[in-house]
Amino acid sequence: MAEPNLVMVGVNHRTTPVEIRERLAFNRGTIEASLEKLVAYPEIVENLILSTCNRVEIYARVTNCDTGIDLLKRFVSEYHNLPLSELNKFFYCYRDERAVEHLFRVSSSLDSMVLGEAQILGQVKDAYSTARALRSTGMVLNQLFEKAFSVAKRVREETGIAERGVSISSAAVELARKIFEDLENHSVMLVGTGEMAELAAKHLISYGVKTVYVASRTYERAVKLATDLNGCALGFEQFKEELHRADIVITSTAAPTFIIKKEMVERAIHQRKNKPIFFIDIAVPRDIEPEVNDLENVYLYDIDDLESVVNANIKEREKEAESAMGIITSEVVKFNNWVVALDAVPTIVEMRNRAENIRRREMDKTFKKMQHLSPEDQSAIDRMTSTIINKILHKPTVNLKKQTQSQEGHVYLKAIRHLFHLDD
Amino acid sequence: MGKLVFNTAIIGYLGASVGYFIYLVYRRPVVSTLAAAAVGLALFAHTVLIGLRSMETGHGPYTTPFEVALFLAWLIVVVFFVTEWKYHIKDLGSFVIPLVFVILLFSGFLSQEVILVEKTESQYWLTLHRTLSALGYAAFSIAFAAAIMYLIQEHQVKSKKLGIMYFRMPSLEVLDDLNYKVITIGFPLFTLGFLTGAIWNVKMQQGLMSWDVLKTWPLVLVWAIYALVFFGRLFAGLRGKKAAQGAVLGFVAVISTYFLHV
């Protein structure tokens, strides 16, 4: 296999509006049918379809890149009944190294709408296992996707791409976990039942918070949200007396003035024997007097603070994405070397050349010593040694060609190159 | 032989300090493993060194300032390993091991002259006093490291400037808890060390009145600072930033006292 002829054709959230993307999406059932249809084309050796809400991409090994790309585009257009002339402006196509690089970027979440989000890797893994189960992928795509998963793991471990929360509620949870280690034994109090407060509370609960209090000016709303969150409803005036029970307080009322004042918090913190309280004020106008943050063991973040944390985190992720690109570039080179090594022909030629050189050298030496040999004798010896070489190398050559079409082909090639010392 | 072992320990701790620092900033798991291995190697050399020294002097490492520094540094590493094992705060190494390195480096400049001691009853009190105090000091060193980390982390969360250390360092709760636990263990040991020291003094000099004021008062001050942190937490809910500041202040007092003793 001289050329891997890898191609990918796709659309994503950057190139294509959602109205088109949703029409191009494949679901599990249509993916299986499509994979089978595609692999039936003689031009397509292996293929895989990745379809998420942000992208539809087809990866394939084809007999020829240009015709392969055209075929995939036509397939998508015909399958979804959208004219190719209209779709052409949305498609992006990559071949060989560029296709490899693109997949590595996608699975490492560098191409995601939210940089570093974890979901995409799972989606790529699903797409791969679906295709693998149908045997629509083979040696090259299997190796490519396995590699993509290990690259994604490296990126996640060696860069901070996924380290920082990039939404208000994840930044708030992160802060809570830097103040309190384990959220399980901690409680949260919601003052006001705003949507964002609810979201943040749910996020905290998913990290183990068990005790939830909800206070609202309308008691019914407090009861309703408390039931949803498996918590306990408080009357609006009651929360002030119960403030000391909460480790995390999230406020989101529509009150025009501060409802939590410094003295109130001072009292609560005293009652708690200085155990820290983390206030998250997502109300506009603010619910909590900013001076509360001056108290020891009290941490107050308002919506602007959280937003600037999120913005700083996004910038950090972008910086981390640059170092992730370094990892990807070096992994693309490695993968390319693997692909190049798949090609058995140069190795066979080198192996034969090496044997032929030895034969010639030894023959010259012998002929010099045995001057009495007639030209006929010499050519008989020449033919005989040549046949020996051919017979010895025949089976290894045939087997090598056969094995390089299999999953472990590169191992055979490596072994041959090593045994015959071809890389010195 | 002694010199070689000493250098191995010093280089081991230096390498580990650098390794832990790189880990703190760049988060390469392999670096932290290497750093832990370097500390292990250094601790081994350090133990051999103390063994050699004890064979040479015929008694434990408590007599000269050199021996005390050697022993204290050794105990800090042991306590560090126990803490590491219990708490898994890898970054503690970035704060503790440099301290060990500095103490050991400093000990290299001290006189290594051997002082022979008779095995008298008062000598036993002295040994007990120095072992207990050194254990207390080792615990205080860990409390100091945890307190520094707490103050850095607290400052970031409070000022809302979340730098790289914010992501790297453990939560305030864990650091405060570590500070609390090591002081809770260290303070009684130090107190016992203090009392056995007083007994030894009485035995040696037949009376409390002959105490060297310059040497004793700083120790009383050290004791008072840790007593405040210890009982303050127990009875007055002293925690967090104040407890951390107390642990830092106490450790500064410990260091000053050591220099007054030398």
Side-chain angles (χ1 to χ4, degrees):
Chain A
M1 185 181 38
E3 291 289 323
N5 290 335
L6 274 176
V7 294
M8 77 82 42
V9 169
V11 296
N12 68 12
H13 55 279
R14 267 190 292 276
T15 63
T16 316
V18 66
E19 312 86 75
I20 304 287
R21 273 192 341 257
E22 63 195 7
R23 292 183 61 185
L24 292 180
F26 292 88
N27 61 37
R28 207 184 162 79
T30 54
I31 282 184
E32 290 183 355
S34 308
L35 287 172
E36 274 168 351
K37 258 186 208 157
L38 279 168
V39 89
Y41 285 100
E43 294 90 338
I44 294 178
V45 190
E46 308 175 38
N47 78 99
L48 179 147
I49 299 175
L50 170 68
S51 179
T52 73
C53 50
N54 282 335
R55 66 183 68 243
V56 177
E57 294 178 345
I58 305 182
Y59 292 83
R61 181 151 76 90
V62 293
T63 49
N64 176 289
C65 284
D66 294 324
T67 51
I69 286 173
D70 284 342
L71 182 71
L72 292 177
K73 282 182 179 173
R74 246 185 303 121
F75 176 81
V76 173
S77 128
E78 281 164 19
Y79 193 89
H80 295 289
N81 267 328
L82 284 162
L84 189 57
S85 54
E86 196 187 308
L87 283 182
N88 257 331
K89 63 174 179 275
F90 300 122
F91 278 131
Y92 48 88
C93 317
Y94 297 117
R95 52 185 76 190
D96 297 327
E97 290 102 321
R98 294 293 311 279
V100 173
E101 187 193 274
H102 180 75
L103 175 66
F104 288 0
R105 289 190 58 224
V106 168
S107 55
S108 306
S109 194
L110 295 184
D111 200 48
S112 299
M113 197 143 75
V114 177
L115 212 57
E117 53 96 5
Q119 214 183 0
I120 184 67
L121 182 59
Q123 290 164 331
V124 177
K125 281 184 176 169
D126 284 346
Y128 173 58
S129 60
T130 307
R132 205 175 168 171
L134 282 176
R135 299 185 176 278
S136 78
T137 60
M139 173 181 46
V140 175
L141 285 192
N142 287 349
Q143 176 75 11
L144 173 66
F145 278 81
E146 298 288 349
K147 193 77 199 160
F149 304 148
S150 72
V151 172
K153 188 164 176 252
R154 250 195 89 186
V155 165
R156 200 152 275 264
E157 278 170 5
E158 293 179 24
T159 71
I161 189 101
E163 211 170 38
R164 294 142 195 252
V166 286
S167 67
I168 296 283
S169 65
S170 63
V173 168
E174 233 165 59
L175 275 160
R177 296 181 71 207
K178 285 293 177 187
I179 297 169
F180 313 103
E181 176 67 15
D182 196 352
L183 296 184
E184 254 172 56
N185 304 314
H186 292 92
S187 54
V188 60
M189 182 185 283
L190 296 180
V191 182
T193 52
E195 204 177 318
M196 269 240 277
E198 186 183 334
L199 195 69
K202 281 191 174 143
H203 209 137
L204 286 167
I205 290 165
S206 75
Y207 274 90
V209 168
K210 296 239 157 41
T211 319
V212 181
Y213 303 98
V214 184
S216 170
R217 241 181 246 287
T218 7
Y219 187 66
E220 290 68 37
R221 268 163 71 182
V223 173
K224 189 175 171 295
L225 187 55
T227 325
D228 277 359
L229 301 175
N230 211 355
C232 158
L234 298 174
F236 195 71
E237 287 308 309
Q238 206 185 348
F239 92 85
K240 291 176 187 168
E241 272 66 60
E242 305 293 331
L243 199 58
H244 66 279
R245 292 187 195 283
D247 299 305
I248 302 163
V249 178
I250 305 174
T251 59
S252 61
T253 76
T257 54
F258 300 134
I259 55 165
I260 294 181
K261 299 239 169 71
K262 196 175 173 184
E263 304 80 52
M264 206 191 291
V265 177
E266 229 167 350
R267 221 179 315 123
I269 216 74
H270 185 71
Q271 277 174 290
R272 291 167 61 79
K273 298 213 173 79
N274 295 326
K275 264 171 67 189
I277 308 186
F278 177 30
F279 287 98
I280 303 164
D281 183 357
I282 41 191
V284 178
R286 289 173 296 175
D287 280 339
I288 305 174
E289 200 173 42
E291 284 74 26
V292 162
N293 195 45
D294 299 340
L295 293 168
E296 219 165 272
N297 298 312
V298 176
Y299 305 93
L300 164 63
Y301 277 70
D302 64 33
I303 190 81
D304 281 2
D305 298 330
L306 288 171
E307 246 155 32
S308 62
V309 169
V310 165
N311 286 337
N313 288 354
I314 290 172
K315 280 214 185 74
E316 268 322 303
R317 280 197 180 193
E318 281 162 4
K319 254 196 258 162
E320 294 295 323
E322 281 166 32
S323 57
M325 263 327 280
I327 294 176
I328 286 178
T329 308
S330 75
E331 294 286 351
V332 170
V333 171
K334 276 193 217 158
F335 183 79
N336 213 36
N337 289 343
W338 178 82
V339 168
V340 169
L342 274 183
D343 189 0
V345 176
T347 302
I348 290 166
V349 170
E350 279 175 67
M351 183 171 72
R352 290 191 158 266
N353 283 345
R354 169 129 324 181
E356 180 62 16
N357 287 341
I358 295 170
R359 190 182 75 90
R360 291 228 164 270
R361 249 196 336 264
E362 295 304 318
M363 239 169 32
D364 288 350
K365 268 198 241 164
T366 310
F367 291 165
K368 251 180 220 157
K369 274 188 224 150
M370 303 175 82
Q371 300 278 352
H372 61 275
L373 291 174
S374 66
E376 288 79 31
D377 292 341
Q378 288 194 355
S379 70
I381 291 173
D382 187 11
R383 271 198 309 278
M384 179 198 67
T385 49
S386 189
T387 312
I388 291 175
I389 296 275
N390 282 335
K391 290 212 160 161
I392 291 177
L393 291 184
H394 176 68
K395 276 284 169 196
T397 306
V398 171
N399 284 334
L400 190 60
K401 277 186 179 160
K402 204 162 81 195
Q403 289 297 338
T404 46
Q405 302 304 314
S406 79
Q407 191 73 30
E408 283 79 33
H410 61 290
V411 182
Y412 276 83
L413 272 165
K414 216 174 153 188
I416 290 287
R417 299 195 72 82
H418 184 68
L419 291 173
F420 282 86
H421 217 285
L422 299 180
D423 291 311
D424 49 347
Chain B
M1 175 70 176
K3 195 75 201 155
L4 177 75
V5 178
F6 185 83
N7 287 341
T8 308
I10 279 273
I11 291 166
Y13 291 132
L14 178 63
S17 304
V18 174
Y20 277 121
F21 185 74
I22 291 173
Y23 179 69
L24 183 67
V25 181
Y26 295 105
R27 265 320 180 248
R28 295 282 180 276
V30 61
V31 183
S32 103
T33 313
L34 284 176
V39 177
L41 173 76
L43 182 64
F44 177 71
H46 199 160
T47 312
V48 171
L49 186 65
I50 290 177
L52 287 174
R53 175 77 186 179
S54 297
M55 265 154 48
E56 191 185 349
T57 59
H59 54 75
Y62 330 104
T63 311
T64 62
F66 170 67
E67 288 168 9
V68 170
L70 212 59
F71 184 51
L72 177 63
W74 184 82
L75 270 178
I76 295 175
V77 182
V78 172
V79 176
F80 163 69
F81 266 128
V82 175
T83 318
E84 237 306 315
W85 169 61
K86 280 259 178 214
Y87 276 79
H88 306 289
I89 307 176
K90 286 210 177 91
D91 293 314
L92 197 61
S94 326
F95 296 84
V96 175
I97 302 303
L99 180 69
V100 172
F101 169 72
V102 169
I103 296 176
L104 209 60
L105 188 68
F106 168 76
S107 80
F109 294 102
L110 295 170
S111 155
Q112 302 193 8
E113 166 198 15
V114 171
I115 295 176
L116 295 172
V117 288
E118 294 169 46
K119 290 201 166 159
T120 58
E121 195 207 335
S122 65
Q123 197 54 43
Y124 285 119
W125 286 110
L126 183 65
T127 305
L128 202 56
H129 156 67
R130 291 204 164 133
T131 310
L132 288 167
S133 309
L135 274 169
Y137 289 139
F140 293 159
S141 313
I142 302 291
F144 170 70
I148 294 286
M149 288 169 85
Y150 183 96
L151 292 174
I152 296 174
Q153 186 69 296
E154 203 268 351
H155 175 74
Q156 299 197 74
V157 177
K158 195 68 149 179
S159 66
K160 298 164 188 177
K161 290 191 182 74
L162 309 177
I164 187 162
M165 292 295 163
Y166 163 78
F167 294 97
R168 300 296 192 241
M169 287 209 277
S171 66
L172 293 173
E173 187 178 3
V174 160
L175 292 169
D176 187 45
D177 186 53
L178 178 58
N179 184 15
Y180 159 63
K181 291 234 166 83
V182 281
I183 287 182
T184 304
I185 294 166
F187 178 68
L189 289 170
F190 178 73
T191 307
L192 286 174
F194 193 66
L195 291 175
T196 45
I199 294 171
W200 170 72
N201 222 305
V202 173
K203 296 248 180 219
M204 285 292 282
Q205 302 172 5
Q206 284 91 37
L208 283 166
M209 297 312 289
S210 59
W211 279 20
D212 184 341
V213 173
L214 188 66
K215 282 187 177 182
T216 311
W217 279 106
L219 271 178
V220 175
L221 183 70
V222 168
W223 187 86
I225 294 171
Y226 284 107
L228 210 67
V229 177
F230 178 78
F231 291 111
R233 166 126 22 200
L234 228 49
F235 300 114
L238 180 85
R239 59 190 299 154
K241 193 176 177 183
K242 286 229 168 63
Q245 285 168 333
V248 172
L249 187 68
F251 195 71
V252 170
V254 167
I255 297 289
S256 326
T257 311
Y258 177 80
F259 280 106
L260 287 174
H261 268 63
V262 175

